Amino acid sequence: MNSSKLILKNTSFLYIKMIITMILSLLITRILLIELGVIDYGIYNLIMGVVGLLAFLNSAMAVSTQRYLSFYIGAKQHYKLKKVFYSSICLHLGLAIIVLFVLELAGLFLFDGFLTIPEDRTSAAKFIYQCLVATSFITISFVPFEASIISHEKLVFESIVSIIEVLLKLLSAFCISLILDNKLETYALCIVGITLITRVIKAFYCFKNFNECQLFLKGLFDLNIFKEMSSFAGWNSFGALCGVAKNQGLAVIMNLFFGTIVNAAFGIAAQVGSQIFSFSSNMLKAVNPQIMKNEGMGERKSMITLSLRATKFSFFLLSFLLIPFALNIVFIFKIWLKDIPEHTIIFALLYLGGTLTNQLTIGLQTAIQSGGNIKLYQSIVGSILLLNLPVAFFIYYLGYPAYYGLISFILIELLACFFRLFISRKILGLSIRQYYRDVLLKIIPPFAITFIICAIPAFILPHSFVRLVVTGILSILSYSLMFYYLGMDPFEREQLIKIKEKLLTFKR
């Protein structure tokens, strides 16, 4: 199967997974908010935020391992591929132990007056913390297997396992509605078990299907590869830490100034942002291995072109869903949530604004990682993202409302995009003119025109199902047409026509 067909197949299954997991995740949030209450739900999100400050290593290390696996798959160096996988196993087991130690050490201080938690819920919060620490240990240990599945582009299997995982979480949420006491603790314990089960399934699949995962020989350990991967993973982890601190660290700072009720609102906003971001990230998940393999084959020009195309389509896919959602957020939240916590709507809108801003250079992040030289990129862009913490703390110290921290979130993300662009020019030889021509001029006009078209009925009609339907239909029709004629280049339109013809032939 050629790369275009494989990307299309994987993307299709990832979107099926996304739709299912999005619906189920929103349902899980509703059930948890009703069953746990605002206080306990806020505590759960607070503890997740604290643990998330180190659990970010999961995604960072997965990208690092995936980069080397995809690179050597593209370069067709199979023996080095085995060395990379073996080295990644050693690296992740060591890292999981370090994270376990650091989190346990941090736990000695977090509940001694640092976090604002009701006194009668402190013991429950400590139990939740231990469960999420165990989840982090399991997740980090199994990263090499997840990275191997993605590098080999077996995303159909990955989608099936992800659906199983969210179904088990939904079952756990239903189960806590059947018990009277210790609901929060029971749900956290279920999450540990679900994490372990799904990771073992992925590991077994890798053992059965990928040669590099089958042999664990002492001679496969390569100190040079281990050092190179450790350096890459270290800088990638630093960048991921800064990105997580921008989000989860903000939740901790909000807790210090405003308490757990604001954490509940921020948790819902982050949940919404995560689900809508998945609308574009699934496409990136299918494209990223091809970007990295092109670099491994020495096709730098093709790699840059594909990364810019990924940026353009990622922005389109996210904004395609974001426009009708943002214009109908009050109605959607009233249907979704029984009671809407204070600040939730403004938090969600601003969080989505920051997520959309990030899409402006999302493909360039993978391109830079594919090149391997990420020290300059992560040190500069990561530090810029980390600025959100002191800026938010200073804003709250001056007495400004909680949502001001999310305004700084957007501005700092925009600044990071500018630096990401110029670093790509320095490291990869990206033409700023090419980015302006192939990305900005292709996404801004369709987005702006569609938003204006949809905003007119949104301001006229009251918050209702009718308004949702009208703005949804207008968004689909106008954005599809605008993006087809203004956003896509001749090659992309030609490929879309071919796909349409194949689908019509298949139906006949």
Side-chain angles (χ1 to χ4, degrees):
M1 185 179 294
N2 64 45
S3 60
S4 297
K5 290 183 179 179
L6 185 58
I7 289 174
L8 180 61
K9 175 188 173 183
N10 285 333
T11 303
S12 300
F13 275 92
L14 286 171
Y15 275 109
I16 293 171
K17 179 202 79 171
M18 180 210 69
I19 293 170
I20 295 173
T21 56
M22 179 184 292
I23 294 171
L24 295 181
S25 295
L26 294 176
L27 181 58
I28 290 169
T29 300
R30 176 184 171 86
I31 294 171
L32 291 179
L33 191 58
I34 293 172
E35 294 299 326
L36 300 179
V38 174
I39 298 298
D40 272 12
Y41 185 74
I43 290 172
Y44 183 72
N45 279 284
L46 172 63
I47 302 301
M48 277 205 305
V50 173
V51 176
L53 290 173
L54 283 180
F56 71 93
L57 287 169
N58 175 44
S59 59
M61 298 299 292
V63 170
S64 302
T65 303
Q66 181 195 332
R67 185 265 168 188
Y68 279 90
L69 291 173
S70 296
F71 184 92
Y72 286 115
I73 289 173
K76 302 187 185 303
Q77 298 183 28
H78 300 295
Y79 187 65
K80 270 202 168 183
L81 194 61
K82 293 186 181 218
K83 289 187 173 184
V84 165
F85 183 80
Y86 187 82
S87 298
S88 70
I89 289 287
C90 299
L91 182 63
H92 286 85
L93 283 176
L95 183 64
I97 294 171
I98 294 172
V99 169
L100 178 67
F101 175 77
V102 171
L103 287 175
E104 290 294 346
L105 185 63
L108 299 176
F109 304 97
L110 289 173
F111 301 98
D112 190 20
F114 182 78
L115 298 177
T116 305
I117 296 173
E119 189 174 343
D120 61 330
R121 301 303 294 153
T122 302
S123 60
K126 289 181 178 179
F127 183 83
I128 303 306
Y129 183 80
Q130 292 300 326
C131 288
L132 293 178
V133 167
T135 301
S136 298
F137 179 84
I138 294 167
T139 303
I140 294 172
S141 299
F142 283 85
V143 161
F145 300 102
E146 296 188 50
S148 185
I149 290 170
I150 296 172
S151 297
H152 285 278
E153 301 181 75
K154 302 298 182 181
L155 299 181
V156 175
F157 171 78
E158 196 273 340
S159 299
I160 293 171
V161 176
S162 295
I163 292 171
I164 292 172
E165 183 172 4
V166 76
L167 282 171
L168 291 174
K169 288 180 180 179
L170 178 62
L171 180 62
S172 301
F174 275 123
C175 286
I176 67 170
S177 66
L178 303 176
I179 62 177
L180 298 177
D181 300 315
N182 303 320
K183 293 185 176 184
L184 185 59
E185 294 91 326
T186 302
Y187 182 73
L189 202 58
C190 289
I191 295 300
V192 177
I194 292 167
T195 302
L196 180 61
I197 291 169
T198 53
R199 269 53 183 188
V200 169
I201 291 172
K202 291 179 180 180
F204 181 76
Y205 180 84
C206 291
F207 283 129
K208 294 290 289 183
N209 292 278
F210 308 139
N211 289 331
E212 70 270 15
C213 302
Q214 294 171 355
L215 296 176
F216 290 94
L217 303 175
K218 185 176 180 181
L220 288 176
F221 183 78
D222 189 313
L223 184 60
N224 291 328
I225 290 179
F226 183 83
K227 287 181 178 179
E228 185 181 344
M229 290 184 66
S230 298
S231 176
F232 186 94
W235 282 109
N236 208 40
S237 298
F238 171 76
L241 170 62
C242 297
V244 168
K246 178 192 67 173
N247 299 326
Q248 305 290 6
L250 183 59
V252 176
I253 293 175
M254 283 181 174
N255 174 260
L256 296 176
F257 284 91
F258 303 104
T260 54
I261 292 178
V262 168
N263 283 123
F266 184 75
I268 293 170
Q271 170 79 2
V272 170
S274 173
Q275 294 304 318
I276 292 183
F277 174 68
S278 67
F279 204 66
S280 64
S281 65
N282 280 301
M283 184 273 294
L284 290 170
K285 197 170 188 178
V287 175
N288 285 346
Q290 287 294 327
I291 294 176
M292 295 174 180
K293 287 176 182 177
N294 276 332
E295 181 68 15
M297 292 185 289
E299 299 287 343
R300 172 66 61 85
K301 186 177 179 180
S302 298
M303 185 270 287
I304 291 176
T305 300
L306 186 56
S307 66
L308 292 178
R309 188 165 285 148
T311 299
K312 180 175 66 175
F313 278 91
S314 180
F315 183 94
F316 165 70
L317 290 170
L318 189 140
S319 57
F320 183 80
L321 186 61
L322 188 148
I323 291 175
F325 180 87
L327 293 174
N328 295 277
I329 191 170
V330 175
F331 175 75
I332 293 171
F333 273 24
K334 284 181 179 178
I335 297 297
W336 174 35
L337 303 172
K338 188 174 181 179
D339 297 304
I340 304 175
E342 189 180 359
H343 308 298
T344 301
I345 291 175
I346 185 65
F347 277 16
L349 289 172
L350 291 172
Y351 195 98
L352 290 171
T355 303
L356 187 62
T357 302
N358 176 262
Q359 301 301 295
L360 293 172
T361 53
I362 191 75
L364 295 180
Q365 299 177 37
T366 304
I368 293 170
Q369 289 169 338
S370 300
N373 182 15
I374 62 170
K375 180 178 180 180
L376 176 67
Y377 166 70
Q378 297 290 15
S379 60
I380 295 177
V381 175
S383 298
I384 290 172
L385 295 178
L386 202 58
L387 285 175
N388 198 49
L389 294 185
V391 169
F393 187 92
F394 183 69
I395 287 172
Y396 295 151
Y397 180 79
L398 293 178
Y400 286 96
Y403 69 86
Y404 271 57
L406 285 165
I407 294 175
S408 71
F409 171 95
I410 296 174
L411 295 176
I412 287 173
E413 186 60 59
L414 185 61
L415 182 63
C417 285
F418 281 115
F419 277 90
R420 202 173 284 127
L421 183 61
F422 288 109
I423 291 172
S424 295
R425 182 179 67 174
K426 179 178 177 62
I427 294 177
L428 303 175
L430 171 71
S431 167
I432 302 297
R433 181 176 294 179
Q434 182 186 6
Y435 171 81
Y436 179 76
R437 182 190 68 236
D438 294 347
V439 179
L440 285 185
L441 284 182
K442 298 291 186 180
I443 61 176
I444 301 301
F447 173 78
I449 293 170
T450 303
F451 185 83
I452 292 170
I453 291 173
C454 295
I456 294 172
F459 281 110
I460 296 173
L461 299 172
H463 295 290
S464 63
F465 181 73
V466 174
R467 172 170 156 172
L468 176 63
V469 172
V470 171
T471 53
I473 293 174
L474 279 176
S475 177
I476 292 171
L477 294 177
S478 59
Y479 211 171
S480 298
L481 288 172
M482 291 298 105
F483 191 74
Y484 181 81
Y485 288 106
L486 301 178
M488 298 176 72
D489 59 36
F491 172 77
E492 292 161 352
R493 286 195 288 268
E494 181 184 345
Q495 294 301 309
L496 186 61
I497 292 171
K498 287 181 179 179
I499 293 171
K500 179 183 175 182
E501 290 174 350
K502 287 181 181 179
L503 290 174
L504 291 174
T505 303
F506 177 77
K507 287 182 180 180
R508 292 170 186 171

